[in-house]
Amino acid sequence: MKNNGMTLIVKTVTRITVWMIILYGAYIILHGHLTPGGGFGGGVIIALALLNVMLAYGREFTTRWLNISVLEHGESLSALLFLITGIVGLLVSGAFLANFISKGQLFHLLSAGTLPVLNIIIGFKVALSLFLVVWVLTSIKLSKGDTT
């Protein structure tokens, strides 16, 4: 069997740290309405965790570990959920993306109305989009002398 990816040390460190990085990204997404961060920042962190796996283990392992078609459908679904959230705000409150959920108590996790929901949706969208762009770019093989 061909040994793809990096050394055993890098693979072991990646195996240990990838879940901590994903957890930190989820934390940034969920607390985005209370602290600096949010859906975009947390999504970038989660995408980098997945890219770390691809760098350490190689593209073939990552393709087997992650179901790429599920990620592609999840990325598309997140755009649809964002649109649906905006339309519900339009129907309930009269403006696209208007708040239609109770704002709760200030400085609590369940506060800020639709902002946490939108942060979660944007986090999924950014994480999956960034990872899939790089995953597709790794499939391109240029030969010596190719200009495109």
Side-chain angles (χ1 to χ4, degrees):
M1 182 173 154
K2 186 179 173 187
N3 188 11
N4 290 330
M6 297 189 139
T7 64
L8 179 63
I9 295 171
V10 174
K11 289 179 181 178
T12 303
V13 169
T14 298
R15 191 178 324 127
I16 293 169
T17 59
V18 69
W19 297 109
M20 290 188 273
I21 297 170
I22 290 174
L23 184 64
Y24 181 66
Y27 172 83
I28 294 294
I29 291 172
L30 291 176
H31 289 83
H33 61 291
L34 299 172
T35 60
F40 188 84
V44 169
I45 292 169
I46 292 174
L48 292 177
L50 298 177
L51 293 175
N52 190 18
V53 172
M54 189 164 69
L55 288 174
Y57 287 91
R59 189 175 193 275
E60 290 80 23
F61 175 84
T62 308
T63 304
R64 281 182 278 133
W65 183 59
L66 298 171
N67 190 342
I68 299 299
S69 66
V70 170
L71 296 182
E72 290 170 345
H73 288 99
E75 192 267 340
S76 300
L77 181 65
S78 62
L80 181 65
L81 287 174
F82 189 86
L83 184 64
I84 289 172
T85 305
I87 291 173
V88 170
L90 179 67
L91 295 175
V92 173
S93 301
F96 187 74
L97 289 176
N99 185 27
F100 58 88
I101 299 175
S102 171
K103 292 180 183 169
Q105 267 189 310
L106 194 60
F107 300 116
H108 283 89
L109 185 60
L110 297 177
S111 61
T114 56
L115 272 181
V117 174
L118 294 172
N119 275 337
I120 292 169
I121 293 170
I122 292 170
F124 274 111
K125 177 77 175 162
V126 169
L128 297 178
S129 298
L130 285 177
F131 172 74
L132 289 171
V133 163
V134 176
W135 185 81
V136 167
L137 288 175
T138 59
S139 68
I140 298 172
K141 298 190 186 311
L142 294 177
S143 300
K144 192 172 186 176
D146 284 349
T147 57
T148 56

mmCIF file of all heavy atoms in Angstrom, residues 77-127:
data_model
loop_
_atom_site.group_PDB
_atom_site.id
_atom_site.type_symbol
_atom_site.label_atom_id
_atom_site.label_comp_id
_atom_site.label_asym_id
_atom_site.label_seq_id
_atom_site.Cartn_x
_atom_site.Cartn_y
_atom_site.Cartn_z
ATOM 1 N N LEU A 77 -27.136 23.009 0.755
ATOM 2 C CA LEU A 77 -28.249 23.125 1.699
ATOM 3 C C LEU A 77 -28.092 24.354 2.593
ATOM 4 O O LEU A 77 -29.086 25.010 2.925
ATOM 5 C CB LEU A 77 -28.340 21.863 2.559
ATOM 6 C CG LEU A 77 -29.470 21.810 3.570
ATOM 7 C CD1 LEU A 77 -30.824 21.793 2.860
ATOM 8 C CD2 LEU A 77 -29.325 20.600 4.465
ATOM 9 N N SER A 78 -26.864 24.683 2.960
ATOM 10 C CA SER A 78 -26.665 25.856 3.820
ATOM 11 C C SER A 78 -27.080 27.141 3.101
ATOM 12 O O SER A 78 -27.638 28.040 3.735
ATOM 13 C CB SER A 78 -25.209 25.940 4.284
ATOM 14 O OG SER A 78 -24.346 26.090 3.182
ATOM 15 N N ALA A 79 -26.830 27.223 1.801
ATOM 16 C CA ALA A 79 -27.283 28.405 1.052
ATOM 17 C C ALA A 79 -28.808 28.462 1.028
ATOM 18 O O ALA A 79 -29.409 29.531 1.171
ATOM 19 C CB ALA A 79 -26.724 28.375 -0.367
ATOM 20 N N LEU A 80 -29.434 27.302 0.863
ATOM 21 C CA LEU A 80 -30.900 27.248 0.858
ATOM 22 C C LEU A 80 -31.468 27.643 2.221
ATOM 23 O O LEU A 80 -32.458 28.388 2.302
ATOM 24 C CB LEU A 80 -31.370 25.846 0.451
ATOM 25 C CG LEU A 80 -32.869 25.647 0.369
ATOM 26 C CD1 LEU A 80 -33.469 26.511 -0.733
ATOM 27 C CD2 LEU A 80 -33.187 24.178 0.142
ATOM 28 N N LEU A 81 -30.832 27.173 3.303
ATOM 29 C CA LEU A 81 -31.306 27.521 4.650
ATOM 30 C C LEU A 81 -31.168 29.017 4.921
ATOM 31 O O LEU A 81 -32.027 29.618 5.569
ATOM 32 C CB LEU A 81 -30.544 26.716 5.704
ATOM 33 C CG LEU A 81 -30.896 25.246 5.797
ATOM 34 C CD1 LEU A 81 -29.966 24.544 6.781
ATOM 35 C CD2 LEU A 81 -32.345 25.062 6.207
ATOM 36 N N PHE A 82 -30.089 29.618 4.442
ATOM 37 C CA PHE A 82 -29.911 31.067 4.604
ATOM 38 C C PHE A 82 -31.030 31.808 3.888
ATOM 39 O O PHE A 82 -31.624 32.747 4.425
ATOM 40 C CB PHE A 82 -28.549 31.491 4.063
ATOM 41 C CG PHE A 82 -28.186 32.903 4.386
ATOM 42 C CD1 PHE A 82 -27.581 33.208 5.587
ATOM 43 C CD2 PHE A 82 -28.462 33.926 3.490
ATOM 44 C CE1 PHE A 82 -27.249 34.514 5.898
ATOM 45 C CE2 PHE A 82 -28.135 35.232 3.796
ATOM 46 C CZ PHE A 82 -27.527 35.523 5.001
ATOM 47 N N LEU A 83 -31.345 31.372 2.671
ATOM 48 C CA LEU A 83 -32.420 32.003 1.899
ATOM 49 C C LEU A 83 -33.770 31.824 2.586
ATOM 50 O O LEU A 83 -34.567 32.763 2.674
ATOM 51 C CB LEU A 83 -32.447 31.417 0.485
ATOM 52 C CG LEU A 83 -33.439 32.031 -0.480
ATOM 53 C CD1 LEU A 83 -33.095 33.485 -0.738
ATOM 54 C CD2 LEU A 83 -33.455 31.251 -1.785
ATOM 55 N N ILE A 84 -34.023 30.624 3.097
ATOM 56 C CA ILE A 84 -35.294 30.365 3.794
ATOM 57 C C ILE A 84 -35.404 31.233 5.045
ATOM 58 O O ILE A 84 -36.470 31.801 5.317
ATOM 59 C CB ILE A 84 -35.418 28.862 4.134
ATOM 60 C CG1 ILE A 84 -35.648 28.058 2.862
ATOM 61 C CG2 ILE A 84 -36.526 28.619 5.149
ATOM 62 C CD1 ILE A 84 -35.583 26.558 3.051
ATOM 63 N N THR A 85 -34.308 31.364 5.791
ATOM 64 C CA THR A 85 -34.325 32.220 6.988
ATOM 65 C C THR A 85 -34.627 33.666 6.610
ATOM 66 O O THR A 85 -35.403 34.348 7.288
ATOM 67 C CB THR A 85 -32.968 32.138 7.715
ATOM 68 O OG1 THR A 85 -32.677 30.774 8.004
ATOM 69 C CG2 THR A 85 -32.993 32.931 9.005
ATOM 70 N N GLY A 86 -34.064 34.122 5.521
ATOM 71 C CA GLY A 86 -34.343 35.481 5.061
ATOM 72 C C GLY A 86 -35.779 35.661 4.632
ATOM 73 O O GLY A 86 -36.407 36.681 4.936
ATOM 74 N N ILE A 87 -36.320 34.670 3.941
ATOM 75 C CA ILE A 87 -37.709 34.770 3.473
ATOM 76 C C ILE A 87 -38.683 34.698 4.644
ATOM 77 O O ILE A 87 -39.683 35.425 4.656
ATOM 78 C CB ILE A 87 -37.982 33.669 2.416
ATOM 79 C CG1 ILE A 87 -37.197 33.991 1.137
ATOM 80 C CG2 ILE A 87 -39.473 33.544 2.131
ATOM 81 C CD1 ILE A 87 -37.251 32.916 0.088
ATOM 82 N N VAL A 88 -38.393 33.857 5.637
ATOM 83 C CA VAL A 88 -39.261 33.807 6.820
ATOM 84 C C VAL A 88 -39.254 35.167 7.518
ATOM 85 O O VAL A 88 -40.307 35.652 7.954
ATOM 86 C CB VAL A 88 -38.819 32.674 7.774
ATOM 87 C CG1 VAL A 88 -39.541 32.771 9.112
ATOM 88 C CG2 VAL A 88 -39.071 31.316 7.145
ATOM 89 N N GLY A 89 -38.093 35.797 7.615
ATOM 90 C CA GLY A 89 -38.026 37.140 8.186
ATOM 91 C C GLY A 89 -38.849 38.131 7.389
ATOM 92 O O GLY A 89 -39.504 39.017 7.945
ATOM 93 N N LEU A 90 -38.829 37.969 6.064
ATOM 94 C CA LEU A 90 -39.619 38.843 5.197
ATOM 95 C C LEU A 90 -41.116 38.648 5.429
ATOM 96 O O LEU A 90 -41.876 39.611 5.522
ATOM 97 C CB LEU A 90 -39.265 38.568 3.732
ATOM 98 C CG LEU A 90 -40.016 39.365 2.674
ATOM 99 C CD1 LEU A 90 -39.646 40.838 2.760
ATOM 100 C CD2 LEU A 90 -39.713 38.816 1.289
ATOM 101 N N LEU A 91 -41.521 37.380 5.546
ATOM 102 C CA LEU A 91 -42.948 37.092 5.719
ATOM 103 C C LEU A 91 -43.452 37.491 7.099
ATOM 104 O O LEU A 91 -44.569 37.980 7.243
ATOM 105 C CB LEU A 91 -43.204 35.601 5.472
ATOM 106 C CG LEU A 91 -42.952 35.108 4.050
ATOM 107 C CD1 LEU A 91 -43.126 33.597 3.968
ATOM 108 C CD2 LEU A 91 -43.856 35.811 3.060
ATOM 109 N N VAL A 92 -42.624 37.279 8.135
ATOM 110 C CA VAL A 92 -43.074 37.538 9.508
ATOM 111 C C VAL A 92 -42.937 39.020 9.873
ATOM 112 O O VAL A 92 -43.842 39.608 10.456
ATOM 113 C CB VAL A 92 -42.294 36.653 10.504
ATOM 114 C CG1 VAL A 92 -42.614 37.032 11.949
ATOM 115 C CG2 VAL A 92 -42.592 35.189 10.261
ATOM 116 N N SER A 93 -41.799 39.609 9.530
ATOM 117 C CA SER A 93 -41.524 40.971 10.000
ATOM 118 C C SER A 93 -41.489 42.019 8.896
ATOM 119 O O SER A 93 -41.292 43.191 9.175
ATOM 120 C CB SER A 93 -40.179 40.999 10.743
ATOM 121 O OG SER A 93 -40.222 40.123 11.834
ATOM 122 N N GLY A 94 -41.588 41.617 7.656
ATOM 123 C CA GLY A 94 -41.667 42.583 6.575
ATOM 124 C C GLY A 94 -40.356 42.981 5.941
ATOM 125 O O GLY A 94 -40.336 43.844 5.070
ATOM 126 N N ALA A 95 -39.231 42.389 6.358
ATOM 127 C CA ALA A 95 -37.942 42.708 5.748
ATOM 128 C C ALA A 95 -37.118 41.427 5.636
ATOM 129 O O ALA A 95 -37.186 40.559 6.511
ATOM 130 C CB ALA A 95 -37.173 43.729 6.578
ATOM 131 N N PHE A 96 -36.346 41.319 4.547
ATOM 132 C CA PHE A 96 -35.509 40.145 4.351
ATOM 133 C C PHE A 96 -34.494 40.044 5.487
ATOM 134 O O PHE A 96 -33.854 41.027 5.848
ATOM 135 C CB PHE A 96 -34.790 40.235 2.995
ATOM 136 C CG PHE A 96 -34.038 38.989 2.624
ATOM 137 C CD1 PHE A 96 -34.723 37.860 2.212
ATOM 138 C CD2 PHE A 96 -32.668 38.949 2.698
ATOM 139 C CE1 PHE A 96 -34.039 36.701 1.865
ATOM 140 C CE2 PHE A 96 -31.974 37.802 2.352
ATOM 141 C CZ PHE A 96 -32.659 36.679 1.939
ATOM 142 N N LEU A 97 -34.364 38.860 6.068
ATOM 143 C CA LEU A 97 -33.477 38.574 7.201
ATOM 144 C C LEU A 97 -33.861 39.316 8.480
ATOM 145 O O LEU A 97 -33.044 39.446 9.392
ATOM 146 C CB LEU A 97 -32.005 38.851 6.867
ATOM 147 C CG LEU A 97 -31.337 37.891 5.898
ATOM 148 C CD1 LEU A 97 -29.914 38.348 5.602
ATOM 149 C CD2 LEU A 97 -31.343 36.477 6.420
ATOM 150 N N ALA A 98 -35.078 39.801 8.555
ATOM 151 C CA ALA A 98 -35.521 40.463 9.784
ATOM 152 C C ALA A 98 -35.636 39.435 10.901
ATOM 153 O O ALA A 98 -35.877 38.254 10.668
ATOM 154 C CB ALA A 98 -36.861 41.147 9.563
ATOM 155 N N ASN A 99 -35.447 39.899 12.130
ATOM 156 C CA ASN A 99 -35.492 39.007 13.277
ATOM 157 C C ASN A 99 -36.929 38.539 13.521
ATOM 158 O O ASN A 99 -37.842 39.352 13.602
ATOM 159 C CB ASN A 99 -34.949 39.723 14.512
ATOM 160 C CG ASN A 99 -34.852 38.802 15.695
ATOM 161 O OD1 ASN A 99 -34.703 37.594 15.515
ATOM 162 N ND2 ASN A 99 -34.932 39.349 16.878
ATOM 163 N N PHE A 100 -37.128 37.237 13.655
ATOM 164 C CA PHE A 100 -38.464 36.702 13.945
ATOM 165 C C PHE A 100 -38.441 35.763 15.144
ATOM 166 O O PHE A 100 -39.437 35.128 15.443
ATOM 167 C CB PHE A 100 -39.047 35.994 12.712
ATOM 168 C CG PHE A 100 -38.207 34.854 12.196
ATOM 169 C CD1 PHE A 100 -38.374 33.586 12.697
ATOM 170 C CD2 PHE A 100 -37.258 35.074 11.222
ATOM 171 C CE1 PHE A 100 -37.602 32.541 12.232
ATOM 172 C CE2 PHE A 100 -36.484 34.044 10.740
ATOM 173 C CZ PHE A 100 -36.653 32.767 11.245
ATOM 174 N N ILE A 101 -37.297 35.692 15.830
ATOM 175 C CA ILE A 101 -37.171 34.866 17.029
ATOM 176 C C ILE A 101 -36.983 35.802 18.220
ATOM 177 O O ILE A 101 -36.371 36.869 18.102
ATOM 178 C CB ILE A 101 -35.960 33.911 16.906
ATOM 179 C CG1 ILE A 101 -36.139 32.977 15.704
ATOM 180 C CG2 ILE A 101 -35.782 33.088 18.178
ATOM 181 C CD1 ILE A 101 -34.929 32.096 15.443
ATOM 182 N N SER A 102 -37.477 35.375 19.385
ATOM 183 C CA SER A 102 -37.315 36.188 20.590
ATOM 184 C C SER A 102 -35.838 36.495 20.846
ATOM 185 O O SER A 102 -34.976 35.634 20.675
ATOM 186 C CB SER A 102 -37.895 35.434 21.791
ATOM 187 O OG SER A 102 -37.556 36.105 22.981
ATOM 188 N N LYS A 103 -35.559 37.713 21.259
ATOM 189 C CA LYS A 103 -34.168 38.128 21.473
ATOM 190 C C LYS A 103 -33.588 37.590 22.767
ATOM 191 O O LYS A 103 -32.382 37.644 22.969
ATOM 192 C CB LYS A 103 -34.068 39.650 21.449
ATOM 193 C CG LYS A 103 -34.342 40.217 20.073
ATOM 194 C CD LYS A 103 -34.248 41.710 20.062
ATOM 195 C CE LYS A 103 -34.596 42.213 18.670
ATOM 196 N NZ LYS A 103 -34.776 43.650 18.644
ATOM 197 N N GLY A 104 -34.386 37.077 23.674
ATOM 198 C CA GLY A 104 -33.882 36.499 24.917
ATOM 199 C C GLY A 104 -33.249 37.532 25.817
ATOM 200 O O GLY A 104 -33.469 38.719 25.678
ATOM 201 N N GLN A 105 -32.409 37.034 26.755
ATOM 202 C CA GLN A 105 -31.735 37.924 27.700
ATOM 203 C C GLN A 105 -30.373 38.309 27.158
ATOM 204 O O GLN A 105 -29.653 37.484 26.595
ATOM 205 C CB GLN A 105 -31.543 37.217 29.044
ATOM 206 C CG GLN A 105 -32.647 37.469 30.026
ATOM 207 C CD GLN A 105 -32.258 36.928 31.383
ATOM 208 O OE1 GLN A 105 -31.839 35.798 31.495
ATOM 209 N NE2 GLN A 105 -32.420 37.761 32.398
ATOM 210 N N LEU A 106 -30.016 39.545 27.393
ATOM 211 C CA LEU A 106 -28.738 40.068 26.925
ATOM 212 C C LEU A 106 -27.578 39.282 27.526
ATOM 213 O O LEU A 106 -27.595 38.928 28.691
ATOM 214 C CB LEU A 106 -28.638 41.550 27.296
ATOM 215 C CG LEU A 106 -27.541 42.357 26.633
ATOM 216 C CD1 LEU A 106 -27.701 42.355 25.124
ATOM 217 C CD2 LEU A 106 -27.544 43.779 27.160
ATOM 218 N N PHE A 107 -26.574 38.961 26.728
ATOM 219 C CA PHE A 107 -25.340 38.252 27.089
ATOM 220 C C PHE A 107 -25.548 36.771 27.400
ATOM 221 O O PHE A 107 -24.673 36.143 27.970
ATOM 222 C CB PHE A 107 -24.616 38.935 28.256
ATOM 223 C CG PHE A 107 -24.230 40.347 27.950
ATOM 224 C CD1 PHE A 107 -24.768 41.403 28.666
ATOM 225 C CD2 PHE A 107 -23.359 40.644 26.915
ATOM 226 C CE1 PHE A 107 -24.429 42.704 28.384
ATOM 227 C CE2 PHE A 107 -23.009 41.954 26.632
ATOM 228 C CZ PHE A 107 -23.543 42.989 27.364
ATOM 229 N N HIS A 108 -26.665 36.181 27.050
ATOM 230 C CA HIS A 108 -26.873 34.743 27.177
ATOM 231 C C HIS A 108 -26.673 34.101 25.817
ATOM 232 O O HIS A 108 -26.811 34.746 24.778
ATOM 233 C CB HIS A 108 -28.269 34.436 27.724
ATOM 234 C CG HIS A 108 -28.378 34.672 29.191
ATOM 235 N ND1 HIS A 108 -28.734 35.885 29.722
ATOM 236 C CD2 HIS A 108 -28.146 33.858 30.233
ATOM 237 C CE1 HIS A 108 -28.738 35.813 31.027
ATOM 238 N NE2 HIS A 108 -28.373 34.578 31.378
ATOM 239 N N LEU A 109 -26.374 32.784 25.839
ATOM 240 C CA LEU A 109 -26.119 32.075 24.593
ATOM 241 C C LEU A 109 -27.343 32.113 23.686
ATOM 242 O O LEU A 109 -27.221 32.312 22.482
ATOM 243 C CB LEU A 109 -25.709 30.622 24.869
ATOM 244 C CG LEU A 109 -25.296 29.809 23.648
ATOM 245 C CD1 LEU A 109 -24.100 30.452 22.962
ATOM 246 C CD2 LEU A 109 -24.971 28.390 24.053
ATOM 247 N N LEU A 110 -28.514 31.930 24.262
ATOM 248 C CA LEU A 110 -29.744 31.986 23.466
ATOM 249 C C LEU A 110 -30.300 33.402 23.495
ATOM 250 O O LEU A 110 -31.282 33.697 24.156
ATOM 251 C CB LEU A 110 -30.763 30.970 23.976
ATOM 252 C CG LEU A 110 -30.321 29.517 23.873
ATOM 253 C CD1 LEU A 110 -31.359 28.594 24.477
ATOM 254 C CD2 LEU A 110 -30.028 29.133 22.435
ATOM 255 N N SER A 111 -29.626 34.282 22.809
ATOM 256 C CA SER A 111 -30.077 35.668 22.688
ATOM 257 C C SER A 111 -29.768 36.121 21.268
ATOM 258 O O SER A 111 -29.199 35.383 20.483
ATOM 259 C CB SER A 111 -29.363 36.557 23.721
ATOM 260 O OG SER A 111 -27.979 36.534 23.502
ATOM 261 N N ALA A 112 -30.170 37.323 20.938
ATOM 262 C CA ALA A 112 -29.884 37.944 19.643
ATOM 263 C C ALA A 112 -30.769 37.426 18.519
ATOM 264 O O ALA A 112 -30.451 37.641 17.348
ATOM 265 C CB ALA A 112 -28.406 37.816 19.265
ATOM 266 N N GLY A 113 -31.852 36.757 18.832
ATOM 267 C CA GLY A 113 -32.826 36.369 17.809
ATOM 268 C C GLY A 113 -32.269 35.439 16.756
ATOM 269 O O GLY A 113 -31.751 34.366 17.072
ATOM 270 N N THR A 114 -32.329 35.869 15.505
ATOM 271 C CA THR A 114 -31.890 35.016 14.406
ATOM 272 C C THR A 114 -30.378 35.061 14.165
ATOM 273 O O THR A 114 -29.878 34.285 13.347
ATOM 274 C CB THR A 114 -32.607 35.409 13.100
ATOM 275 O OG1 THR A 114 -32.371 36.783 12.833
ATOM 276 C CG2 THR A 114 -34.080 35.135 13.184
ATOM 277 N N LEU A 115 -29.658 35.935 14.832
ATOM 278 C CA LEU A 115 -28.211 36.030 14.598
ATOM 279 C C LEU A 115 -27.476 34.712 14.841
ATOM 280 O O LEU A 115 -26.650 34.312 14.015
ATOM 281 C CB LEU A 115 -27.600 37.139 15.455
ATOM 282 C CG LEU A 115 -27.600 38.527 14.847
ATOM 283 C CD1 LEU A 115 -26.954 39.519 15.796
ATOM 284 C CD2 LEU A 115 -26.928 38.549 13.518
ATOM 285 N N PRO A 116 -27.697 34.003 15.961
ATOM 286 C CA PRO A 116 -27.001 32.719 16.137
ATOM 287 C C PRO A 116 -27.357 31.706 15.046
ATOM 288 O O PRO A 116 -26.501 30.949 14.600
ATOM 289 C CB PRO A 116 -27.475 32.238 17.505
ATOM 290 C CG PRO A 116 -27.928 33.450 18.208
ATOM 291 C CD PRO A 116 -28.449 34.373 17.159
ATOM 292 N N VAL A 117 -28.608 31.708 14.626
ATOM 293 C CA VAL A 117 -29.022 30.791 13.546
ATOM 294 C C VAL A 117 -28.271 31.123 12.260
ATOM 295 O O VAL A 117 -27.737 30.232 11.583
ATOM 296 C CB VAL A 117 -30.550 30.875 13.330
ATOM 297 C CG1 VAL A 117 -30.977 30.046 12.137
ATOM 298 C CG2 VAL A 117 -31.288 30.454 14.585
ATOM 299 N N LEU A 118 -28.197 32.407 11.943
ATOM 300 C CA LEU A 118 -27.472 32.814 10.733
ATOM 301 C C LEU A 118 -25.981 32.545 10.859
ATOM 302 O O LEU A 118 -25.327 32.166 9.876
ATOM 303 C CB LEU A 118 -27.731 34.295 10.441
ATOM 304 C CG LEU A 118 -29.170 34.631 10.061
ATOM 305 C CD1 LEU A 118 -29.364 36.132 9.981
ATOM 306 C CD2 LEU A 118 -29.542 33.976 8.751
ATOM 307 N N ASN A 119 -25.419 32.709 12.074
ATOM 308 C CA ASN A 119 -24.007 32.380 12.281
ATOM 309 C C ASN A 119 -23.736 30.907 12.024
ATOM 310 O O ASN A 119 -22.726 30.546 11.419
ATOM 311 C CB ASN A 119 -23.568 32.749 13.699
ATOM 312 C CG ASN A 119 -23.150 34.184 13.813
ATOM 313 O OD1 ASN A 119 -22.770 34.811 12.841
ATOM 314 N ND2 ASN A 119 -23.224 34.712 15.028
ATOM 315 N N ILE A 120 -24.616 30.038 12.489
ATOM 316 C CA ILE A 120 -24.440 28.597 12.277
ATOM 317 C C ILE A 120 -24.516 28.267 10.790
ATOM 318 O O ILE A 120 -23.680 27.525 10.256
ATOM 319 C CB ILE A 120 -25.502 27.809 13.085
ATOM 320 C CG1 ILE A 120 -25.230 27.962 14.581
ATOM 321 C CG2 ILE A 120 -25.524 26.343 12.677
ATOM 322 C CD1 ILE A 120 -26.341 27.452 15.470
ATOM 323 N N ILE A 121 -25.481 28.827 10.110
ATOM 324 C CA ILE A 121 -25.634 28.566 8.676
ATOM 325 C C ILE A 121 -24.414 29.075 7.908
ATOM 326 O O ILE A 121 -23.861 28.366 7.054
ATOM 327 C CB ILE A 121 -26.935 29.215 8.154
ATOM 328 C CG1 ILE A 121 -28.151 28.525 8.771
ATOM 329 C CG2 ILE A 121 -26.988 29.150 6.633
ATOM 330 C CD1 ILE A 121 -29.462 29.240 8.504
ATOM 331 N N ILE A 122 -23.966 30.283 8.223
ATOM 332 C CA ILE A 122 -22.793 30.845 7.534
ATOM 333 C C ILE A 122 -21.538 30.041 7.868
ATOM 334 O O ILE A 122 -20.681 29.807 7.011
ATOM 335 C CB ILE A 122 -22.631 32.334 7.903
ATOM 336 C CG1 ILE A 122 -23.777 33.133 7.302
ATOM 337 C CG2 ILE A 122 -21.304 32.885 7.435
ATOM 338 C CD1 ILE A 122 -23.859 34.558 7.785
ATOM 339 N N GLY A 123 -21.439 29.580 9.110
ATOM 340 C CA GLY A 123 -20.290 28.754 9.486
ATOM 341 C C GLY A 123 -20.200 27.478 8.668
ATOM 342 O O GLY A 123 -19.121 27.119 8.178
ATOM 343 N N PHE A 124 -21.327 26.782 8.506
ATOM 344 C CA PHE A 124 -21.339 25.575 7.665
ATOM 345 C C PHE A 124 -20.985 25.926 6.230
ATOM 346 O O PHE A 124 -20.202 25.227 5.584
ATOM 347 C CB PHE A 124 -22.709 24.894 7.714
ATOM 348 C CG PHE A 124 -22.846 23.951 8.857
ATOM 349 C CD1 PHE A 124 -23.687 24.242 9.903
ATOM 350 C CD2 PHE A 124 -22.132 22.759 8.900
ATOM 351 C CE1 PHE A 124 -23.816 23.382 10.975
ATOM 352 C CE2 PHE A 124 -22.249 21.894 9.960
ATOM 353 C CZ PHE A 124 -23.102 22.206 11.007
ATOM 354 N N LYS A 125 -21.571 26.988 5.719
ATOM 355 C CA LYS A 125 -21.344 27.385 4.322
ATOM 356 C C LYS A 125 -19.865 27.688 4.082
ATOM 357 O O LYS A 125 -19.268 27.198 3.117
ATOM 358 C CB LYS A 125 -22.210 28.604 4.003
ATOM 359 C CG LYS A 125 -22.033 29.183 2.615
ATOM 360 C CD LYS A 125 -22.718 28.355 1.594
ATOM 361 C CE LYS A 125 -22.634 28.999 0.226
ATOM 362 N NZ LYS A 125 -22.904 28.043 -0.811
ATOM 363 N N VAL A 126 -19.268 28.487 4.942
ATOM 364 C CA VAL A 126 -17.872 28.876 4.763
ATOM 365 C C VAL A 126 -16.949 27.672 4.927
ATOM 366 O O VAL A 126 -16.039 27.457 4.119
ATOM 367 C CB VAL A 126 -17.503 30.003 5.754
ATOM 368 C CG1 VAL A 126 -16.014 30.240 5.788
ATOM 369 C CG2 VAL A 126 -18.243 31.273 5.392
ATOM 370 N N ALA A 127 -17.190 26.856 5.962
ATOM 371 C CA ALA A 127 -16.326 25.694 6.199
ATOM 372 C C ALA A 127 -16.351 24.741 5.011
ATOM 373 O O ALA A 127 -15.307 24.326 4.505
ATOM 374 C CB ALA A 127 -16.757 24.972 7.468
#
